[in-house]
Amino acid sequence: MEKPAIEGGTPVREQKIYYGHQYIDEADIQAVVDVLRSDYLTCGPKIAELEKKLCELTGAKYAVVCSNGTAGLHIAALAAGVGAGDEVITTPMTFAASANCALYCGAKPVFADINPETYNIDPASVEKCVTDKTKAVVAVDYTGQSAELEPLRKLCREKNLVLIEDGAHVIGTTYQGRKNGSISDMTMFSFHPVKTVTAGEGGAVLTNSEEYYRKLLLYRAHGITRDERLLEHESDGPWYYEQLMLGYNYRMTDMQAALLISQLDKLEMFSKRRKEIVARYNEAFSRLPGIVVQKEIPESDTTRHLYILRIKPEEFSIDRRRFFDALDAENVSCNVHYIPTYYFPYYEKLGYRRGICPNAEKLYEEIITLPLYYAMSDEDVESVIRAVEKLAGYYHLRRGQEELR
């Protein structure tokens, strides 16, 4: 067992708890086994079944599933017509793929700052970033809370931009009573194991536009089609197909699709439990000195993928790194989401420098991602709370010297 966080103390937990974990039940396992015993392992009937289910769950007209969320962002940018010389506005408080999708297309990522209370991309900052080269906005639903889609949609309509919603965190959330996935021009979902539902790996792009839908289908599968309506030459027979554009092999397998279909049957259950945990965390942490909880906009009924705790360094005798390590010593293993994208050496070599987005940069210095997933027991939740309370009380500068000994 690791050394206790506080000298002479005992960790609040005996077993490690991690920030995220998938939940797989027998129904999920059987769904995959059934596919393994079927005639199709990929490009089979489960793909269409999953896409139909995603449309039913979100209200979107079309869904195109793909190999992962990054692939989804790539084909969404391609479908939006992003190319060389264009600019794509996004947030730095995200996984690198939100900006990389612009680079894949030969375009330039432009970083808008965040709202310092919600941590989502700030529509006012986005507007300041718009130039005559801007082609699209990639708005990230950070932690599962919906971005402010209404002002972003309005801005994109006025400036003739495509709104791509990076909804890697957002499945199960609603914005102004509508399911995320049915609102923006295109919305990407991710199904990585730490997300609310998983396919192991996997992604999807949802849209209400038939034009985008047709392009997404082609970009997902090598630019190849058998659709007779799209063929440019006369067919040679039932085996015939044509490559119409340069696409990619971003297909999902039927095994992944079957797992995700089963997982989606539990989405409401997963969402309910995540909301319960978030409510308990908020109740406990909002009363702690030096601790800030993420603000939620009233328009978003959020299924939260990540729970972010903000540590105000000026109020503690330790910094975020030592607080993080102290939590780990209490057997509460956390994470940090995210390092601002333009901090990475690759982006530095492209000419990006720190100081672009001061709100995002300050946030990064102060945040810790706490455990949040469906299978957490009430005891797990309370032990995380006890660990934070213990450290906050021990290291808070305003406490008496007796507590700090």
Side-chain angles (χ1 to χ4, degrees):
M1 185 175 292
E2 297 185 33
K3 182 180 177 182
I6 297 173
E7 194 66 38
T10 301
V12 298
R13 295 179 56 87
E14 292 185 1
Q15 300 296 323
K16 285 280 188 185
I17 185 171
Y18 297 92
Y19 89 92
H21 197 274
Q22 71 272 14
Y23 175 82
I24 302 295
D25 64 13
E26 289 303 317
D28 298 327
I29 294 168
Q30 188 60 51
V32 175
V33 170
D34 289 344
V35 169
L36 290 171
R37 289 174 172 155
S38 74
D39 293 330
Y40 293 92
L41 298 185
T42 193
C43 299
K46 287 296 178 182
I47 301 301
E49 182 181 343
L50 172 57
E51 290 172 342
K52 182 174 184 289
K53 192 174 188 71
L54 286 168
C55 290
E56 291 170 349
L57 282 168
T58 62
K61 290 184 179 178
Y62 307 102
V64 176
V65 297
C66 52
S67 53
N68 52 64
T70 300
L73 284 173
H74 186 193
I75 62 175
L78 290 168
V82 174
D86 292 333
E87 294 177 349
V88 176
I89 300 170
T90 192
T91 169
M93 193 51 55
T94 183
F95 186 65
S98 307
N100 288 349
C101 66
L103 295 174
Y104 298 155
C105 300
K108 176 185 177 181
V110 175
F111 295 99
D113 211 346
I114 62 168
N115 180 312
E117 294 184 320
T118 66
Y119 316 154
N120 259 325
I121 194 168
D122 182 358
S125 182
V126 172
E127 185 169 13
K128 291 177 183 177
C129 291
V130 175
T131 71
D132 58 2
K133 296 181 179 179
T134 307
K135 185 73 173 182
V137 175
V138 176
V140 177
D141 301 305
Y142 180 70
T143 74
Q145 177 176 200
S146 178
E148 296 178 65
L149 295 180
E150 189 53 42
L152 289 170
R153 290 176 68 204
K154 182 175 183 292
L155 174 64
C156 288
R157 286 195 300 267
E158 290 174 352
K159 303 294 185 179
N160 195 30
L161 309 176
V162 180
L163 179 57
I164 300 171
E165 190 178 346
D166 181 341
H169 300 177
V170 83
I171 192 164
T173 293
T174 62
Y175 177 81
Q176 294 182 337
R178 294 177 62 187
K179 291 285 188 182
N180 288 68
S182 65
I183 302 170
S184 300
D185 293 319
M186 287 177 274
T187 300
M188 179 277 289
F189 287 155
S190 171
F191 306 118
H192 183 274
V194 297
K195 301 302 196 301
T196 302
V197 292
T198 185
E201 279 283 5
V205 183
L206 284 72
T207 184
N208 293 322
S209 164
E210 184 175 0
E211 177 186 357
Y212 290 145
Y213 172 60
R214 298 298 175 191
K215 290 179 179 179
L216 291 165
L217 288 174
L218 286 169
Y219 282 122
R220 174 181 71 180
H222 304 281
I224 287 174
T225 184
R226 295 178 184 273
D227 188 336
E228 293 184 356
R229 296 170 297 177
L230 302 179
L231 300 181
E232 296 184 11
H233 302 299
E234 185 176 348
S235 172
D236 292 337
W239 64 86
Y240 187 78
Y241 57 83
E242 291 181 350
Q243 181 181 340
L244 302 180
M245 59 175 64
L246 184 62
Y248 302 83
N249 184 3
Y250 284 163
R251 295 171 299 189
M252 177 185 279
T253 69
D254 275 47
M255 295 171 286
Q256 292 169 301
L259 173 57
L260 186 54
I261 290 166
S262 180
Q263 286 268 298
L264 288 170
D265 288 337
K266 295 180 277 286
L267 177 58
E268 185 175 347
M269 180 176 75
F270 290 164
S271 178
K272 180 175 181 292
R273 179 56 179 161
R274 285 174 176 265
K275 289 180 180 181
E276 290 172 353
I277 296 169
V278 168
R280 179 68 187 105
Y281 277 169
N282 285 345
E283 176 189 27
F285 300 142
S286 60
R287 62 174 181 255
L288 291 181
I291 300 293
V292 178
V293 300
Q294 182 180 1
K295 181 180 178 181
E296 185 164 324
I297 59 174
E299 295 89 346
S300 181
D301 181 4
T302 302
T303 294
R304 201 173 292 280
H305 159 52
L306 299 173
Y307 189 90
I308 304 299
L309 196 68
R310 190 167 188 174
I311 312 298
K312 302 301 287 183
E314 65 273 14
E315 297 196 30
F316 289 93
S317 59
I318 58 173
D319 58 16
R320 188 269 306 272
R321 170 60 193 271
R322 288 183 62 201
F323 204 105
F324 183 98
D325 290 343
L327 278 172
D328 189 71
E330 296 290 344
N331 286 324
V332 177
S333 292
C334 302
N335 209 326
V336 172
H337 295 87
Y338 290 94
I339 302 168
T341 304
Y342 53 78
Y343 278 21
F344 297 136
Y346 181 82
Y347 277 82
E348 289 178 332
K349 291 169 187 173
L350 293 176
Y352 293 87
R353 296 292 179 263
R354 300 188 183 202
I356 300 171
C357 299
N359 290 338
E361 293 179 21
K362 182 173 175 57
L363 180 71
Y364 166 62
E365 298 296 330
E366 300 176 356
I367 53 175
I368 293 174
T369 304
L370 294 183
L372 175 63
Y373 51 92
Y374 169 77
M376 287 181 71
S377 67
D378 289 346
E379 182 180 354
D380 291 334
V381 174
E382 294 305 318
S383 67
V384 172
I385 292 170
R386 288 198 306 275
V388 174
E389 289 176 336
K390 176 180 176 180
L391 300 179
Y394 188 81
Y395 291 111
H396 193 249
L397 288 171
R398 293 177 183 172
R399 300 290 180 180
Q401 289 301 309
E402 183 173 335
E403 290 182 59
L404 292 171
R405 273 197 306 229

